[in-house]
Amino acid sequence: MNEAPSTPPPLPDRLSVDPTSPHHVAAVCEHDIGIRFNGKERFDVEEYCLSEGWIKVPAGRTLDRKGKPVLIKLKGQVEAFYR
């Protein structure tokens, strides 16, 4: 019995990997997502917004008081895709 491969849901305009974020979509995060920022693929993206053209990445190893990485926002051309 071969199951048909499930088609991934369409990528949202804004997505976060943090489950506590209001922009986290569990159905999308189950799939392997790639982010291309200014023509280069990034593997450290925590959150992105396609329409506003930014990504959030960890700022080194610094953590906030809740133990989560401190994020910095980088602006540029953002492209999200399924791998």
Side-chain angles (χ1 to χ4, degrees):
M1 298 185 135
N2 291 336
E3 291 184 22
S6 62
T7 57
L11 288 168
D13 177 58
R14 187 168 177 181
L15 181 67
S16 175
V17 295
D18 181 14
T20 61
S21 170
H23 302 289
H24 178 78
V25 181
V28 174
C29 290
E30 291 175 356
H31 300 280
D32 195 18
I33 300 169
I35 302 293
R36 197 171 290 119
F37 181 69
N38 290 338
K40 286 188 153 185
E41 191 168 354
R42 298 284 303 244
F43 299 98
D44 59 346
V45 177
E46 296 281 328
E47 187 172 349
Y48 73 81
C49 183
L50 298 174
S51 63
E52 296 176 15
W54 56 260
I55 60 172
K56 287 187 180 180
V57 295
R61 295 183 179 171
T62 55
L63 301 176
D64 66 7
R65 61 185 176 179
K66 296 179 182 176
K68 295 183 180 181
V70 174
L71 302 177
I72 57 172
K73 185 187 284 189
L74 303 174
K75 294 190 175 210
Q77 183 181 4
V78 181
E79 179 186 346
F81 59 92
Y82 285 110
R83 289 191 197 143

